[in-house]
């Protein structure tokens, strides 16, 4: 009998003939991440396989098919599944993403979801005639056409989302490095930044959507950095607060300098 052994930490799996597993062996060490975990017994494996076979989720080669993600699920079905994982089970999602390749997939996902959220945020602002949008129009041009301005925002939204992902990843990685919380490369931080833009989907909700997106973005970033870099929650939180603290210090220093220049 073939035993499918899967590491619960990084999801690395390997099929091993049952007869090659020493009798009484209870634990195994993952060759990828070094995690030690309990081995499932042959009886448990056989029972699980029989249950899947009876449910019709085993193909001709004996491989279990995940009914939630069939082979012909399609691109958008996969994106929806990723969206659900990021928003509603981020800890498990980022643990599974810890060792997976596919940086460009995460960036494409971030641009897609971020652009949709950004477009709706701008749409509601224009539709509801927000004061900040009116101010921007007056600043750009006294005769600015609202339709052209709106279309312009839509066109450049993917570029703005990409720049935001890269900039936030650079800042977060630097701050986490200062706090000695970086245990993987910049690619991991960029993945977290890219996937976290999924929270912008809440911008589909008028008035309060952008606030929900901001709060949940903070939560997703903390969980993502913690799981990807296997660091503490406290370090992940401070990596987000440190840029704000430094910004406030710069603003305060600038204000003091300007004030002292005026009274001197």
């Amino acid at each position: 009998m073939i035993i499918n052994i899967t590491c619960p930490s990084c999801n690395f799996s390997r099929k091993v003939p049952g007869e090659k597993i020493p009798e009484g062996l209870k634990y195994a060490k993952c060759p990828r991440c070094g995690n030690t975990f309990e081995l499932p017994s042959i009886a448990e494996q056989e029972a699980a396989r029989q249950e899947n076979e009876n449910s019709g989720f085993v193909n001709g080669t004996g491989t279990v098919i995940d009914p939630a993600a069939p082979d012909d699920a399609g691109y958008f079905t996969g994106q929806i599944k990723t969206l659900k994982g990021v928003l509603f089970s981020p800890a498990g999602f980022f643990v599974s993403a810890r060792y997976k390749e596919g940086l460009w997939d995460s960036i494409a996902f971030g641009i897609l979801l971020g652009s949709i959220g950004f477009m709706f945020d701008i749409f509601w602002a224009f539709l509801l005639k927000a004061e900040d949008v009116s101010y921007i129009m007056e600043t750009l041009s006294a005769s600015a056409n609202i339709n052209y301005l709106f279309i312009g925002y839509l066109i450049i939204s993917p570029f703005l989302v990409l720049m935001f992902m890269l900039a936030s990843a650079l800042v977060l990685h630097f701050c986490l490095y200062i706090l000695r919380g970086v245990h993987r490369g910049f690619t991991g931080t960029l993945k977290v930044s890219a996937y976290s833009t999924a929270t912008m989907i809440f911008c589909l909700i008028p008035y309060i959507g952008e606030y929900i997106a901001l709060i949940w973005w903070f939560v997703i970033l903390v969980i993502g950095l913690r799981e990807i870099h296997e660091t503490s929650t406290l370090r992940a939180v401070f990596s987000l607060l440190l840029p704000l603290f430094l910004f406030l210090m710069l603003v305060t220093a600038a204000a003091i300098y300007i004030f002292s220049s005026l009274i001197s």
Side-chain angles (χ1 to χ4, degrees):
M1 176 185 174
I2 301 297
I3 305 296
N4 187 28
I5 302 175
T6 302
C7 173
S9 178
C10 67
N11 290 327
F12 175 79
S13 63
R14 177 174 292 173
K15 294 181 180 179
V16 181
E19 59 271 16
K20 289 189 176 182
I21 300 178
E23 187 176 352
L25 184 66
K26 293 184 177 181
Y27 297 93
K29 186 174 182 179
C30 178
R32 175 182 287 178
C33 68
N35 176 52
T36 301
F37 57 94
E38 187 175 1
L39 280 172
S41 66
I42 295 178
E44 290 175 348
Q45 285 270 340
E46 181 60 30
R49 171 170 164 69
Q50 188 63 43
E51 182 180 352
N52 286 320
E53 187 173 358
N54 294 337
S55 302
F57 296 136
V58 177
N59 61 17
T61 61
T63 303
V64 177
I65 301 173
D66 181 4
D71 293 338
D72 58 348
Y75 176 77
F76 289 103
T77 302
Q79 298 300 309
I80 291 173
K81 184 178 179 181
T82 301
L83 176 64
K84 289 180 179 178
V86 173
L87 294 182
F88 305 117
S89 55
F93 176 84
F94 284 109
V95 167
S96 64
R98 189 183 296 160
Y99 300 97
K100 286 183 179 179
E101 301 295 333
L103 174 62
W104 296 112
D105 291 339
S106 62
I107 292 177
F109 171 83
I111 291 175
L112 174 64
L113 272 296
S115 297
I116 292 174
F118 183 78
M119 289 177 186
F120 268 92
D121 192 35
I122 295 299
F123 171 75
W124 292 125
F126 274 88
L127 185 65
L128 302 174
K129 298 180 180 179
E131 295 181 0
D132 54 343
V133 175
S134 299
Y135 174 76
I136 291 173
M137 288 181 60
E138 292 174 1
T139 304
L140 291 177
S141 173
S143 59
N145 187 295
I146 189 170
N147 295 323
Y148 292 151
L149 190 58
F150 179 67
I151 294 172
Y153 271 122
L154 297 184
I155 292 173
I156 66 173
S157 61
F159 175 77
L160 294 177
V161 172
L162 177 61
M163 291 299 100
F164 174 77
M165 286 192 304
L166 293 173
S168 59
L170 285 169
V171 173
L172 288 173
H173 194 77
F174 175 73
C175 292
L176 198 60
Y177 177 79
I178 292 176
L179 298 170
R180 297 183 179 180
V182 170
H183 298 128
R184 284 186 174 78
F186 175 72
T187 300
T189 308
L190 183 55
K191 278 186 180 181
V192 175
S193 179
Y195 282 124
S196 67
T197 58
T199 60
M200 291 188 70
I201 201 69
F202 289 114
C203 291
L204 272 67
I205 306 172
Y207 295 109
I208 62 172
E210 57 185 353
Y211 301 107
I212 298 175
L214 180 61
I215 294 171
W216 203 237
W217 175 75
F218 186 91
V219 173
I220 297 297
L221 280 178
V222 169
I223 296 175
L225 292 174
R226 183 190 69 195
E227 299 301 336
I228 287 289
H229 288 286
E230 295 182 278
T231 187
S232 66
T233 302
L234 192 62
R235 280 193 174 95
V237 170
F238 274 108
S239 69
L240 270 72
L241 296 179
L242 186 58
L244 178 61
F245 176 73
L246 294 176
F247 175 76
L248 292 176
M249 286 186 61
L250 288 174
V251 171
T252 303
I256 293 175
Y257 175 78
I258 293 173
F259 181 75
S260 61
S261 298
L262 292 174
I263 61 175
S264 59

